[in-house]
Amino acid sequence: MAGSDARESEYRYERGREKARDAARVETFSDGVFAVVLTVMAVELLQTGPARESGRALPDALAHAWPSYLAYVITFALAGQVWLAHHNLWRYVVRVDQMLLVFNLGVLLFIATIPFTADLLSDNLRGGTTEQRLTAALYLGTVLGEAIFVNLSWWWARRRGLLHPDLDPRLARAIARRVLVKPLLYLVAFAVVFIDPILSLCAYLLLVGYYLIGGPGDLRPSAGTSEGRSAA
C-alpha cells in the first residue's frame, strides 16, 4: 500500500506530468496582470482632481490635463495590442516548462511597469527636450523589453516542442518573423524622438494600428475549427 502511494506521489509530481499540463493557468494569470495594469493606469492618468485645486473651471481643467489623456490613449493602445498578441500566440501553446514560464514572467515584468512609465510620460510632455527624451527612452525600454521577451517565449516554445503538434511549421516561422520585426519598429519609433517627442509617440500608435490589421497567427473573423493550423 505504501509502495502504491509512493508511486502515485512520484507520478503526480514528475516532470513529464508537469509538461503535459496545458497552458490555461499561465494564460489566466497573465490576463489578470493585464487587467490590473490597465486598471491602475486608468486610475493614475484619468484624474482631474489635482488639476482643479488651483480653482480652474472643469473645462479648463480638462484641457489642461491633455498630456494625461494622450499618455492614456497611447499606452492603453500599446498594452491592449500586447494583450491581443499574447492571447493569439498562447492559443498555440499546449505545454509549458520552467523556462517558458520565466520568459512569460519577463513579459509581465515590463507590462507591470507601464503605469509608471505612462505617468512619467504625462508629467513630462510639457517639459523641456531633455525631460521628454529621457521619458521617451524609459517608455521605449518598457515596450522594447516586452517585445524581446515575447520573441524569447515564441522561440523557446518552438525549440522545445511546446506548441500544438498540428501547427503548420510555415505558420510558426511566419509568426516568428512578425514578432521579430516588432522590437525593430520600436527602435525606429524611438529614433523619431530626436526630431519631435510627440511625433515619436504618434509613431507608436501607428505601430499599434499596423499590428491590429492582422497577420500570421491572428484570429480571423470567419475562423473555423481548423483556423491557425495552416499557413493560409
Side-chain angles (χ1 to χ4, degrees), residues 106-210:
V107 174
L108 300 180
L109 167 70
F110 286 98
I111 291 299
T113 312
I114 282 180
F116 168 71
T117 54
D119 195 35
L120 282 179
L121 184 66
S122 67
D123 286 344
N124 291 281
L125 280 177
R126 291 195 186 90
T129 303
T130 301
E131 288 79 9
Q132 289 178 337
R133 288 177 176 172
L134 177 59
T135 303
L138 292 173
Y139 202 77
L140 170 76
T142 299
V143 296
L144 186 60
E146 163 271 318
I148 289 173
F149 273 99
V150 167
N151 273 273
L152 288 172
S153 298
W154 187 251
W155 167 76
W156 185 261
R158 290 180 63 203
R159 181 174 181 268
R160 302 300 294 180
L162 304 177
L163 303 177
H164 197 289
D166 292 340
L167 177 63
D168 192 317
R170 294 172 298 171
L171 177 57
R173 289 192 296 270
I175 294 173
R177 288 192 296 269
R178 191 171 191 237
V179 297
L180 183 61
V181 170
K182 194 173 183 180
L184 302 179
L185 293 177
Y186 279 150
L187 287 173
V188 172
F190 173 68
V192 180
V193 78
F194 295 100
I195 302 173
D196 187 327
I198 303 298
L199 186 61
S200 176
L201 296 177
C202 293
Y204 285 118
L205 279 180
L206 290 177
L207 291 181
V208 171
Y210 168 74

Side-chain angles (χ1 to χ4, degrees), residues 63-147:
H64 184 265
W66 70 265
S68 295
Y69 307 142
L70 179 61
Y72 175 76
V73 170
I74 293 174
T75 309
F76 188 94
L78 280 168
Q81 191 278 320
V82 172
W83 177 81
L84 286 174
H86 189 277
H87 171 76
N88 287 331
L89 293 180
W90 276 81
R91 289 184 299 137
Y92 303 111
V93 178
V94 293
R95 294 184 303 278
V96 298
D97 65 5
Q98 185 79 1
M99 189 54 66
L100 183 59
L101 294 177
V102 170
F103 287 148
N104 189 65
L105 284 175
V107 174
L108 300 180
L109 167 70
F110 286 98
I111 291 299
T113 312
I114 282 180
F116 168 71
T117 54
D119 195 35
L120 282 179
L121 184 66
S122 67
D123 286 344
N124 291 281
L125 280 177
R126 291 195 186 90
T129 303
T130 301
E131 288 79 9
Q132 289 178 337
R133 288 177 176 172
L134 177 59
T135 303
L138 292 173
Y139 202 77
L140 170 76
T142 299
V143 296
L144 186 60
E146 163 271 318

